[in-house]
């Protein structure tokens, strides 16, 4: 990813540039004297001549004094970002970024670095046409707040599972309304806990509900079948960006994104061959995952060097001031095959994170100086998630001592206890309902760990399912779950059973308050967690 020292514009230059990016007619003699723009711009007579920004802007991977800004043009262009502490863009900083080219589907991103702490910043993205270099897009604006150095409350939201089970953008319902509900809470950032898209879930124009009424989806060609080509995977992300709720949300709330299975295909693992699904002509899941990963990195505001996305890691960590460190896991790329998950000793077959990722996480936890350590795991720890009649998709495999993938988790939990790493909380999604679990060694088969909490949230705009069964290996106790008794499977968003979570850390007391909320933002569960001392 390209990053440059920002160029500060004086008032005269800023007004001049505003006229250019707004398509105004100005004196070419005046522009010719500008050290910022050099030669005079062409006079733009039609918006059709200007690059477009059809899917808005987004920010992400926010950490202490830096953030990633993302957008997409509609043609070959150069990305430019301007930002200011003022909404009117006084004393604007200007950063020239990378080219948005066809090989990245005209997406582009850049880092803003050396940002002031605890400051609301306003930014706008502009694209310069590479073929007509004096032609600029209209600017599209966004905003974010940088992490504090001390004293301020921190509040963020999380959840997973967007546009699954055929529940897409329904204009009559108001689109993906839960994103607007989250935006109105003004969170500092958002953790998307996986299943950002459902590449294996086509969207049909109509779905008949149980009461006979019709749910009507916006449809696109790429979402009419399972994704196999790179264009189809990209089209899944573009589909979500057709929703105005998501575009408003993205412009105001930085995103920390991880992936799960549906970014590629349900319950996938490396090396899998598709045997019994006639919807796929591509049977090699590794090939599908390669295309899925490229689209994931292109369409989400994830930081990586623009000339080398192959080295981008989906597992990564972020510091958000003295109160919080966030550790984002990747539970897809390195896992062994889904199996009965009952191997007695660790091996490549029992990998879930992999030895390399586990060692990274241990180092990160050990070096963390933040009060709270949040581990974002796209899959829950103690809930049983089956894959067919004999295999398992997540860590858990049923009651009893650790076996299979649980051996990796037992090793990690033992490390946290032995090193006395305090205030570790797990956040997850995947199972399409909300829950709070307290892991108690006194109730567990494996007891060599510190008690901890796990919170589950979702879906964001998908079918509601559950609840799943808890196993006793690590002693999880069900404190709360969000579903009414006898909830039928695959409830549509219109029934209101959509859930997200919120986390507030008090800047003075350092108490963490975790809430689980429904579609309209009502708190359905809350707990205060005082920090260990």
């Amino acid at each position: 990813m390209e990053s440059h020292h920002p160029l500060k514009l004086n008032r005269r230059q800023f007004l001049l540039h505003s006229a250019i990016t707004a398509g105004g007619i100005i004196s070419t003699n005046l522009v010719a004297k500008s050290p910022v723009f050099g030669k005079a711009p062409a006079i733009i007579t039609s918006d059709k001549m200007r690059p477009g920004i059809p899917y808005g802007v987004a920010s992400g991977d926010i950490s202490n004094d830096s953030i990633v800004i993302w957008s997409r043009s509609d043609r070959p262009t150069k990305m430019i970002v301007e930002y200011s502490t003022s909404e009117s863009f006084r004393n604007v900083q200007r950063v020239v970024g990378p080219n948005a080219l066809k090989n990245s589907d005209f997406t582009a991103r850049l880092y803003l670095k050396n940002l002031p702490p605890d400051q609301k910043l306003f930014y706008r993205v502009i694209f310069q046409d590479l073929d007509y270099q004096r032609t600029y897009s209209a600017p599209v604006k966004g905003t974010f707040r940088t992490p504090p150095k001390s004293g301020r409350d921190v509040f963020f939201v999380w959840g997973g599972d967007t546009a699954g089970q055929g529940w897409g953008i329904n204009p009559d319902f108001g689109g993906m309304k839960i994103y607007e509900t989250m935006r109105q809470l003004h969170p500092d950032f958002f953790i998307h806990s996986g299943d950002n898209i459902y590449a294996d879930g086509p969207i049909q124009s109509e779905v008949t509900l149980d009461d006979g009424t019709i749910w009507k989806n916006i449809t696109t060609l790429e979402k009419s079948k399972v994704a196999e080509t790179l264009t189809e995977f990209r089209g899944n992300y573009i589909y979500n960006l057709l929703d105005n709720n998501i575009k408003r949300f993205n412009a105001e709330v930085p995103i920390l994104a991880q992936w799960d299975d549906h970014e590629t295909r349900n319950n996938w693992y490396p090396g899998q061959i598709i045997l019994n699904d006639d919807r796929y002509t591509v049977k090699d899941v590794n090939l599908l995952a390669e295309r899925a990963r490229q689209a994931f990195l292109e369409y989400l505001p994830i930081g990586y060097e623009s000339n080398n996305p192959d080295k981008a890691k989906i597992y990564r960590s972020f510091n958000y001031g003295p109160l919080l460190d966030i550790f984002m896991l990747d539970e897809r790329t390195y896992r062994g095959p889904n199996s009965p998950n009952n191997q007695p000793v660790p091996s490549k077959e029992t990998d879930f994170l992999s030895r390399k990722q586990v060692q990274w996480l241990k180092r990160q936890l050990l070096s963390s100086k933040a009060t709270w350590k949040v581990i974002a795991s796209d899959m829950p720890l103690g809930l049983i998630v089956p894959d067919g009649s004999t295999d398992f998709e997540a860590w858990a495999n049923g009651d009893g001592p650790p076996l299979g993938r649980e051996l990796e988790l037992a090793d990690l939990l033992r490390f946290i206890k032995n090193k006395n790493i305090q205030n570790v909380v797990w956040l997850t999604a995947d199972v399409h309902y909300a829950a709070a679990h307290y892991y108690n060694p006194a109730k567990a088969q494996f007891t060599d760990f510190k008690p901890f909490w796990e919170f589950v949230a979702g879906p964001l705009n998908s079918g509601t399912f559950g609840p799943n069964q808890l196993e006793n290996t690590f002693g999880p106790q069900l404190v709360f779950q969000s579903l009414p008794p006898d909830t039928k499977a695959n409830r549509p968003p219109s029934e209101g059973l959509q859930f997200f979570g919120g986390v507030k850390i008090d800047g003075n007391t350092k108490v963490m308050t975790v809430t689980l909320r429904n579609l309209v933002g009502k708190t359905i569960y809350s707990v205060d967690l005082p920090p260990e001392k």
Side-chain angles (χ1 to χ4, degrees):
M1 185 188 317
E2 296 186 26
S3 178
H4 303 270
H5 293 294
L7 176 64
K8 193 169 184 177
L9 307 185
N10 62 33
R11 178 175 173 78
R12 179 170 172 275
Q13 292 166 338
F14 169 67
L15 291 173
L16 177 63
H17 184 46
S18 296
I20 294 170
T21 57
I25 299 174
I26 59 178
S27 167
T28 56
N29 291 330
L30 184 62
V31 177
K33 298 177 182 178
S34 168
V36 177
F37 298 104
K39 294 182 179 179
I43 295 174
I44 299 171
T45 58
S46 169
D47 281 344
K48 292 181 180 179
M49 294 175 60
R50 307 172 70 176
I53 306 180
Y55 306 120
V57 297
S59 65
D61 280 15
I62 188 169
S63 192
N64 276 353
D65 65 349
S66 67
I67 197 168
V68 173
I69 305 297
W70 174 95
S71 190
R72 181 189 186 274
S73 182
D74 63 355
R75 68 194 69 179
T77 50
K78 180 172 287 295
M79 184 186 198
I80 299 166
V81 174
E82 296 177 342
Y83 67 97
S84 173
T85 58
S86 165
E87 192 170 6
S88 63
F89 286 84
R90 294 189 302 272
N91 299 317
V92 69
Q93 307 284 332
R94 184 172 189 261
V95 183
V96 178
N99 293 337
L101 302 173
K102 186 176 181 180
N103 63 359
S104 65
D105 208 28
F106 306 116
T107 64
R109 74 207 59 232
L110 60 78
Y111 270 116
L112 299 183
K113 296 183 177 181
N114 302 315
L115 301 174
D118 199 15
Q119 178 69 57
K120 187 169 185 179
L121 293 174
F122 302 88
Y123 71 91
R124 57 193 177 193
V125 173
I126 303 152
F127 284 102
Q128 177 189 25
D129 195 310
L130 292 181
D131 293 321
Y132 304 94
Q133 294 188 15
R134 288 176 283 173
T135 304
Y136 294 80
S137 72
V140 176
K141 297 178 181 179
T143 187
F144 60 91
R145 188 174 185 179
T146 54
K149 284 195 171 179
S150 63
R152 173 170 71 82
D153 295 351
V154 173
F155 174 67
F156 68 93
V157 292
W158 93 93
D161 318 311
T162 301
Q165 291 75 48
W167 308 111
I169 303 167
N170 180 349
D172 296 337
F173 181 62
M176 299 191 191
K177 294 197 295 189
I178 199 165
Y179 280 88
E180 177 63 11
T181 300
M182 293 190 294
R183 185 191 70 84
Q184 290 182 6
L185 295 174
H186 304 293
D188 290 307
F189 61 90
F190 165 59
I191 296 175
H192 200 303
S193 303
D195 293 342
N196 294 266
I197 61 167
Y198 278 70
D200 57 335
I203 298 289
Q204 306 301 322
S205 61
E206 294 185 352
V207 182
T208 302
L209 303 180
D210 290 350
D211 63 2
T213 60
I214 303 297
W215 172 281
K216 295 183 179 180
N217 289 310
I218 291 175
T219 58
T220 66
L221 179 64
E222 290 80 12
K223 281 297 296 178
S224 67
K225 63 178 290 293
V226 296
E228 298 179 273
T229 67
L230 179 56
T231 297
E232 289 164 350
F233 281 108
R234 288 166 167 167
N236 275 257
Y237 291 94
I238 289 172
Y239 181 84
N240 290 356
L241 293 171
L242 298 177
D243 181 74
N244 288 328
N245 300 296
I246 286 184
K247 282 197 286 191
R248 279 193 301 269
F249 183 85
N250 287 353
E252 296 184 23
V253 184
I255 303 164
L256 307 181
Q258 60 192 152
W259 72 347
D260 191 24
D261 55 337
H262 290 287
E263 284 83 1
T264 303
R265 179 180 181 269
N266 186 45
N267 295 356
W268 78 275
Y269 51 83
Q272 185 182 33
I273 301 298
I274 301 172
L275 298 175
N276 301 312
D277 192 336
D278 293 337
R279 299 178 302 167
Y280 286 88
T281 57
V282 178
K283 302 295 186 180
D284 181 355
V285 175
N286 281 2
L287 179 56
L288 294 176
E290 180 182 336
R291 293 167 179 169
R293 183 179 185 275
Q294 180 174 339
F296 174 81
L297 293 174
E298 286 173 346
Y299 273 89
L300 288 165
I302 293 173
Y304 61 86
E305 296 300 324
S306 60
N307 60 352
N308 205 350
D310 289 342
K311 291 190 176 180
K313 285 189 173 65
I314 294 171
Y315 71 84
R316 57 214 194 280
S317 65
F318 304 98
N319 176 241
Y320 200 90
L323 294 178
L324 179 63
D325 278 341
I326 308 110
F327 309 97
M328 308 286 292
L329 302 185
D330 177 356
E331 296 171 350
R332 284 290 151 189
T333 304
Y334 313 103
R335 65 163 59 194
N338 290 352
S339 74
N341 198 25
N342 57 6
Q343 298 91 340
V345 295
S347 68
K348 287 290 184 183
E349 300 295 304
T350 67
D351 276 354
F352 198 59
L353 301 177
S354 79
R355 184 177 181 276
K356 183 177 180 181
Q357 190 176 175
V358 169
Q359 292 301 113
W360 166 84
L361 181 57
K362 288 179 177 179
R363 290 193 302 271
Q364 294 290 312
L365 288 168
L366 197 57
S367 64
S368 172
K369 294 180 173 58
T371 304
W372 290 96
K373 295 90 176 165
V374 165
I375 300 177
S377 171
D378 51 279
M379 302 211 73
L381 308 187
L383 288 172
I384 297 173
V385 184
D387 181 14
S389 59
T390 61
D391 296 344
F392 294 92
E393 162 72 350
W395 308 82
N397 56 21
D399 291 345
L403 293 171
R405 293 167 176 164
E406 296 171 332
L407 297 168
E408 192 179 77
L409 182 57
D411 172 66
L412 177 59
L413 296 178
R414 182 189 296 112
F415 174 85
I416 291 171
K417 176 189 175 184
N418 289 345
K419 299 300 183 181
N420 193 30
I421 298 171
Q422 298 180 332
N423 306 318
V424 176
V425 173
W426 294 72
L427 302 182
T428 187
D430 182 66
V431 287
H432 295 239
Y433 68 99
H437 304 140
Y438 181 68
Y439 285 73
N440 184 352
K443 305 283 188 179
Q445 296 293 304
F446 175 83
T447 62
D448 195 11
F449 67 94
K450 293 164 65 82
F452 65 93
W453 284 86
E454 172 192 50
F455 300 96
V456 186
L460 297 178
N461 194 89
S462 292
T464 306
F465 292 86
N468 290 47
Q469 179 185 345
L470 281 167
E471 61 160 30
N472 68 9
T473 305
F474 301 103
Q477 306 299 296
L478 177 62
V479 179
F480 173 81
Q481 68 91 2
S482 64
L483 297 182
D486 302 318
T487 300
K488 293 174 64 176
N490 197 17
R491 295 300 82 211
S494 53
E495 292 192 11
L497 297 176
Q498 306 284 292
F499 307 101
F500 68 96
V503 175
K504 176 186 174 183
I505 306 174
D506 189 284
N508 295 317
T509 66
K510 302 182 180 179
V511 170
M512 174 184 281
T513 301
V514 181
T515 54
L516 297 172
R517 303 176 186 238
N518 65 12
L519 177 65
V520 297
K522 180 182 177 181
T523 297
I524 55 175
Y525 174 77
S526 180
V527 62
D528 293 332
L529 307 179
E532 296 179 68
K533 297 181 179 178

